[in-house]
Every structure is written in structure tokens, then in C-alpha cells.
Amino acid sequence: MSLTDKFGRQITDLRVSVTDRCNFRCVYCRSANPETHMPNGELLEWQEYERLVRLLVGMGIRKVRVTGGEPLVRRGIEGFIARLNALGVNDLSMTTNGYTLAERCNGLVAAGMNRINISLDSLNREKFERITRTKTFDQVIAGIDAAQASKLRPVKVNAVLVRGINDDEVEAFAEFARDRDLIMRFIEFMPLDADRAWTRDMVVTGAEVYRRISAIWPLVPVVHERSETARKYRFADGSGEIGLISPVSQPFCGACSRLRLTADGKLRTCLFSKDDHDLRSLLRSGASDQEISDEILAIVAQKEKGHRINEPGFLPPSRTMVSIGG
Ligand code: SAM
């Protein structure tokens, strides 16, 4: 069986959010004000995730990325990774802020995780603290060190660039990639922040990042899968790689292969979907595997053509990034 939408896109990637809680409050994601969280009873239990992922793997999902909120704040995550591994997911990864990664890395590898993405939005301690509203710079760098020393490959570091906040660090991030031989990815700021402060002029485009880096170090394109979010480049003269993720300035919806499962069991066919689809109720109402699979097929068939950020009258979804799962 395969998951195909009405535009003929094959769905092979699943992002699984395991919590809407996070120990960071990044300015482009969360609010400084208190936020409400999903009550524990609304979160999917591990065995509920396992059942859904098993069905989805049977329908053609090949890559699973565990995310949140911050996935490492949910107790039992290593056991969950092991369950996913046992289901035969052949590309198992996680996106994390890295805060507790140094001490958790070995456990994640032992559980069967293949690769990791770590968020790092500034190389300047003081600015990092302002962006994340935490004092955790050393721990995150230690997390990156631990990931690089482990079997996890590739190790990708993600920075969301916001004009006026960290756009002065493009070249420094490129140097970081070169010095450490890692993949540094630059993500355009999307209108998914809790404060609803996003404006188009805060977006630092992938084209600008390319221009600035290649003016110093010539870049060579790296072949990528059509459905990959990043345009990838290596440095002509040395190690390290950069990735440009440009959902605002160069949408890649036409090759989208992703589905998202939220921590409260909603299936989303796009980050910017207006509606999500309640699989938790279906699970908890005693539906059979066949009924759940039929519902998933019907949901996927209706996946939207694109995110419409650049269309007049665009409105962001009511859920923000932290409660969807990035
Ligand atoms: N807590 C983990 C972390 O920090 O990576 C995983 C969840 S976080 C929501 C996933 C990714 O979404 C991170 O790379 C984060 O930087 C990114 N993100 C959050 N808000 C965003 C926004 N408004 N625009 C673009 N990316 C965003």
C-alpha cells in the first residue's frame, strides 16, 4: 500500500511530536507570557503512537522524525525510539534543542536512532540566551560535541534566522560548519510564532545566505532528494556543508512528502493546515486497524497543494510551531 495524495505526491516522511512542552522559550517560536499546555490525558500514550506508526509504516512511511515541543523532556523517549526501531523504520531521527543531549546521546543511539538535528540560533552566548530565554549555551554546545562523537550521522545544526536578531551571524555559522565538519542549516522564519510578530521583512532568505557565504567560500551544490527541504552545498575548499531551507521565499510544497502527528493525536497534512484530523478519538473509540488506515488514506488524499504564505489574505494556523511539531 502507498500513501499518495491527489496531486500524486508520495508520502514517505512522518514527523511525530511527543509533547507541546519545551524547556526553551525561543523568541521566534514561543511567548514570554505563560502558555497553556495539553493536559496529560490528551497526549498520545506510547502504545498509541506505536500503533499509528506501525500502520503508517505499512502504508509507506520510511522516515520518522521525533520532535516536539522538546522531545527530550518527555519521559520514556528512549523506549519509544526503541519501539520505532523495532517497527522497521529505516530512517529514525530527532530534532532537539540539545540541552540534555550530552547525557542522553548514548541512550538514543543504543535505542536505534540514526541521526539528529540540533537547534542553535546563535554562536554568541549572550545572544543565544536572549533568543532562547535560557542560560544553556554550554550544555547545547556539549550536546553537539556528544552527537559528533557518537554514531549519529549526519549531525545537522539548525538556525532560524530572524532579521535584526541573528542575521549578522551567517558567516560565523558557515565557519562553524567548516571548523566542525558538520551540516549547518539556515531556516527561514515562518509565521508560526506564538507572539504573532512575524513579518515578511524579518525573513532572511536562503538566497541572501547563499550570496553572503559564497562570496567568501565558493560553494558546490550537493545532490539531494527531490522531497528534501534543504538545498545543500559543500565548501569547494574543505569540509562542512550548508543547507538552505526556504519555505517562505522558495516554497518546496510541490515535492512535499511529509505528514505530521501532533502530541494530542491529530494528523496534519501541512504545517499550515487550517484543520487537523483527530486520530486519537478514533484510536480511543476502539476502531480497527483497517478503519484507521482507511481514515489516514482519506486524509492524505486531501493534502493541500501548498502553504499559501505568499498568497493574499494568508492567515497562519491557530496552532503555533511548538504545538504542531517542527
Ligand atoms: N525543541 C526542538 C528544537 O528546539 O529543535 C524541536 C521542536 S522545534 C519546534 C523544531 C524546529 O522548529 C526548530 O529547528 C526550531 O528552530 C524551528 N522553529 C520554531 N519556530 C519556528 C518559526 N517560527 N519559523 C521557523 N522555524 C521555527
Side-chain angles (χ1 to χ4, degrees), residues 116-128:
I116 196 145
N117 290 5
I118 305 159
S119 297
L120 176 71
D121 299 305
S122 180
L123 293 165
N124 171 294
R125 175 188 305 274
E126 194 251 329
K127 196 189 291 180
F128 174 92

PDB file of all heavy atoms in Angstrom, residues 116-128:
ATOM      1  N   ILE A 116      20.467  13.087  13.861  1.00  0.00           N
ATOM      2  CA  ILE A 116      19.935  14.106  14.780  1.00  0.00           C
ATOM      3  C   ILE A 116      20.073  15.507  14.205  1.00  0.00           C
ATOM      4  O   ILE A 116      21.027  15.792  13.473  1.00  0.00           O
ATOM      5  CB  ILE A 116      20.663  14.005  16.150  1.00  0.00           C
ATOM      6  CG1 ILE A 116      19.888  14.762  17.220  1.00  0.00           C
ATOM      7  CG2 ILE A 116      22.111  14.507  16.068  1.00  0.00           C
ATOM      8  CD1 ILE A 116      19.950  14.118  18.573  1.00  0.00           C
ATOM      9  N   ASN A 117      19.080  16.351  14.531  1.00  0.00           N
ATOM     10  CA  ASN A 117      19.145  17.778  14.219  1.00  0.00           C
ATOM     11  C   ASN A 117      19.115  18.546  15.528  1.00  0.00           C
ATOM     12  O   ASN A 117      18.249  18.288  16.370  1.00  0.00           O
ATOM     13  CB  ASN A 117      17.922  18.215  13.398  1.00  0.00           C
ATOM     14  CG  ASN A 117      17.924  17.657  11.991  1.00  0.00           C
ATOM     15  OD1 ASN A 117      18.788  16.863  11.631  1.00  0.00           O
ATOM     16  ND2 ASN A 117      16.939  18.047  11.209  1.00  0.00           N
ATOM     17  N   ILE A 118      20.045  19.459  15.695  1.00  0.00           N
ATOM     18  CA  ILE A 118      20.124  20.228  16.939  1.00  0.00           C
ATOM     19  C   ILE A 118      19.949  21.709  16.601  1.00  0.00           C
ATOM     20  O   ILE A 118      20.600  22.219  15.687  1.00  0.00           O
ATOM     21  CB  ILE A 118      21.497  20.002  17.621  1.00  0.00           C
ATOM     22  CG1 ILE A 118      21.730  18.500  17.836  1.00  0.00           C
ATOM     23  CG2 ILE A 118      21.578  20.761  18.948  1.00  0.00           C
ATOM     24  CD1 ILE A 118      23.172  18.115  18.026  1.00  0.00           C
ATOM     25  N   SER A 119      19.082  22.364  17.352  1.00  0.00           N
ATOM     26  CA  SER A 119      18.852  23.789  17.094  1.00  0.00           C
ATOM     27  C   SER A 119      19.905  24.621  17.814  1.00  0.00           C
ATOM     28  O   SER A 119      20.210  24.373  18.982  1.00  0.00           O
ATOM     29  CB  SER A 119      17.460  24.196  17.585  1.00  0.00           C
ATOM     30  OG  SER A 119      16.487  23.484  16.849  1.00  0.00           O
ATOM     31  N   LEU A 120      20.451  25.598  17.109  1.00  0.00           N
ATOM     32  CA  LEU A 120      21.427  26.519  17.714  1.00  0.00           C
ATOM     33  C   LEU A 120      21.309  27.830  16.940  1.00  0.00           C
ATOM     34  O   LEU A 120      21.720  27.910  15.794  1.00  0.00           O
ATOM     35  CB  LEU A 120      22.857  25.958  17.598  1.00  0.00           C
ATOM     36  CG  LEU A 120      23.969  26.881  18.105  1.00  0.00           C
ATOM     37  CD1 LEU A 120      23.935  27.002  19.629  1.00  0.00           C
ATOM     38  CD2 LEU A 120      25.353  26.366  17.676  1.00  0.00           C
ATOM     39  N   ASP A 121      20.718  28.832  17.569  1.00  0.00           N
ATOM     40  CA  ASP A 121      20.384  30.057  16.836  1.00  0.00           C
ATOM     41  C   ASP A 121      21.383  31.174  17.004  1.00  0.00           C
ATOM     42  O   ASP A 121      21.223  32.232  16.391  1.00  0.00           O
ATOM     43  CB  ASP A 121      18.989  30.541  17.243  1.00  0.00           C
ATOM     44  CG  ASP A 121      17.938  29.492  16.919  1.00  0.00           C
ATOM     45  OD1 ASP A 121      17.867  29.065  15.757  1.00  0.00           O
ATOM     46  OD2 ASP A 121      17.224  29.064  17.844  1.00  0.00           O
ATOM     47  N   SER A 122      22.389  30.973  17.845  1.00  0.00           N
ATOM     48  CA  SER A 122      23.460  31.961  17.935  1.00  0.00           C
ATOM     49  C   SER A 122      24.725  31.290  18.465  1.00  0.00           C
ATOM     50  O   SER A 122      24.654  30.376  19.288  1.00  0.00           O
ATOM     51  CB  SER A 122      23.075  33.117  18.860  1.00  0.00           C
ATOM     52  OG  SER A 122      24.138  34.041  18.904  1.00  0.00           O
ATOM     53  N   LEU A 123      25.848  31.792  17.966  1.00  0.00           N
ATOM     54  CA  LEU A 123      27.146  31.319  18.475  1.00  0.00           C
ATOM     55  C   LEU A 123      27.668  32.268  19.535  1.00  0.00           C
ATOM     56  O   LEU A 123      28.739  32.057  20.098  1.00  0.00           O
ATOM     57  CB  LEU A 123      28.143  31.238  17.304  1.00  0.00           C
ATOM     58  CG  LEU A 123      27.788  30.156  16.286  1.00  0.00           C
ATOM     59  CD1 LEU A 123      28.559  30.356  14.996  1.00  0.00           C
ATOM     60  CD2 LEU A 123      28.073  28.773  16.871  1.00  0.00           C
ATOM     61  N   ASN A 124      26.888  33.297  19.786  1.00  0.00           N
ATOM     62  CA  ASN A 124      27.258  34.291  20.781  1.00  0.00           C
ATOM     63  C   ASN A 124      26.421  34.007  22.039  1.00  0.00           C
ATOM     64  O   ASN A 124      25.198  34.038  22.005  1.00  0.00           O
ATOM     65  CB  ASN A 124      26.922  35.669  20.183  1.00  0.00           C
ATOM     66  CG  ASN A 124      27.055  36.777  21.187  1.00  0.00           C
ATOM     67  OD1 ASN A 124      26.319  36.846  22.158  1.00  0.00           O
ATOM     68  ND2 ASN A 124      27.995  37.657  20.931  1.00  0.00           N
ATOM     69  N   ARG A 125      27.137  33.710  23.132  1.00  0.00           N
ATOM     70  CA  ARG A 125      26.436  33.256  24.345  1.00  0.00           C
ATOM     71  C   ARG A 125      25.319  34.215  24.782  1.00  0.00           C
ATOM     72  O   ARG A 125      24.199  33.799  25.072  1.00  0.00           O
ATOM     73  CB  ARG A 125      27.464  33.128  25.474  1.00  0.00           C
ATOM     74  CG  ARG A 125      26.877  32.777  26.834  1.00  0.00           C
ATOM     75  CD  ARG A 125      27.952  32.859  27.900  1.00  0.00           C
ATOM     76  NE  ARG A 125      29.082  32.018  27.561  1.00  0.00           N
ATOM     77  CZ  ARG A 125      29.164  30.715  27.862  1.00  0.00           C
ATOM     78  NH1 ARG A 125      28.195  30.142  28.543  1.00  0.00           N
ATOM     79  NH2 ARG A 125      30.219  30.012  27.514  1.00  0.00           N
ATOM     80  N   GLU A 126      25.644  35.484  24.768  1.00  0.00           N
ATOM     81  CA  GLU A 126      24.680  36.465  25.285  1.00  0.00           C
ATOM     82  C   GLU A 126      23.440  36.506  24.374  1.00  0.00           C
ATOM     83  O   GLU A 126      22.296  36.533  24.836  1.00  0.00           O
ATOM     84  CB  GLU A 126      25.398  37.819  25.348  1.00  0.00           C
ATOM     85  CG  GLU A 126      24.700  38.879  26.154  1.00  0.00           C
ATOM     86  CD  GLU A 126      24.123  39.948  25.244  1.00  0.00           C
ATOM     87  OE1 GLU A 126      24.709  40.207  24.159  1.00  0.00           O
ATOM     88  OE2 GLU A 126      23.077  40.495  25.608  1.00  0.00           O
ATOM     89  N   LYS A 127      23.685  36.442  23.073  1.00  0.00           N
ATOM     90  CA  LYS A 127      22.555  36.478  22.142  1.00  0.00           C
ATOM     91  C   LYS A 127      21.752  35.171  22.212  1.00  0.00           C
ATOM     92  O   LYS A 127      20.524  35.183  22.174  1.00  0.00           O
ATOM     93  CB  LYS A 127      23.063  36.720  20.715  1.00  0.00           C
ATOM     94  CG  LYS A 127      21.932  37.159  19.801  1.00  0.00           C
ATOM     95  CD  LYS A 127      22.344  37.193  18.373  1.00  0.00           C
ATOM     96  CE  LYS A 127      23.344  38.315  18.113  1.00  0.00           C
ATOM     97  NZ  LYS A 127      23.718  38.309  16.684  1.00  0.00           N
ATOM     98  N   PHE A 128      22.469  34.067  22.339  1.00  0.00           N
ATOM     99  CA  PHE A 128      21.800  32.756  22.496  1.00  0.00           C
ATOM    100  C   PHE A 128      20.837  32.809  23.701  1.00  0.00           C
ATOM    101  O   PHE A 128      19.707  32.339  23.634  1.00  0.00           O
ATOM    102  CB  PHE A 128      22.857  31.665  22.708  1.00  0.00           C
ATOM    103  CG  PHE A 128      22.297  30.315  23.022  1.00  0.00           C
ATOM    104  CD1 PHE A 128      22.037  29.398  22.015  1.00  0.00           C
ATOM    105  CD2 PHE A 128      22.003  29.961  24.334  1.00  0.00           C
ATOM    106  CE1 PHE A 128      21.499  28.144  22.314  1.00  0.00           C
ATOM    107  CE2 PHE A 128      21.461  28.713  24.642  1.00  0.00           C
ATOM    108  CZ  PHE A 128      21.217  27.805  23.632  1.00  0.00           C
TER     109      PHE A 128
END
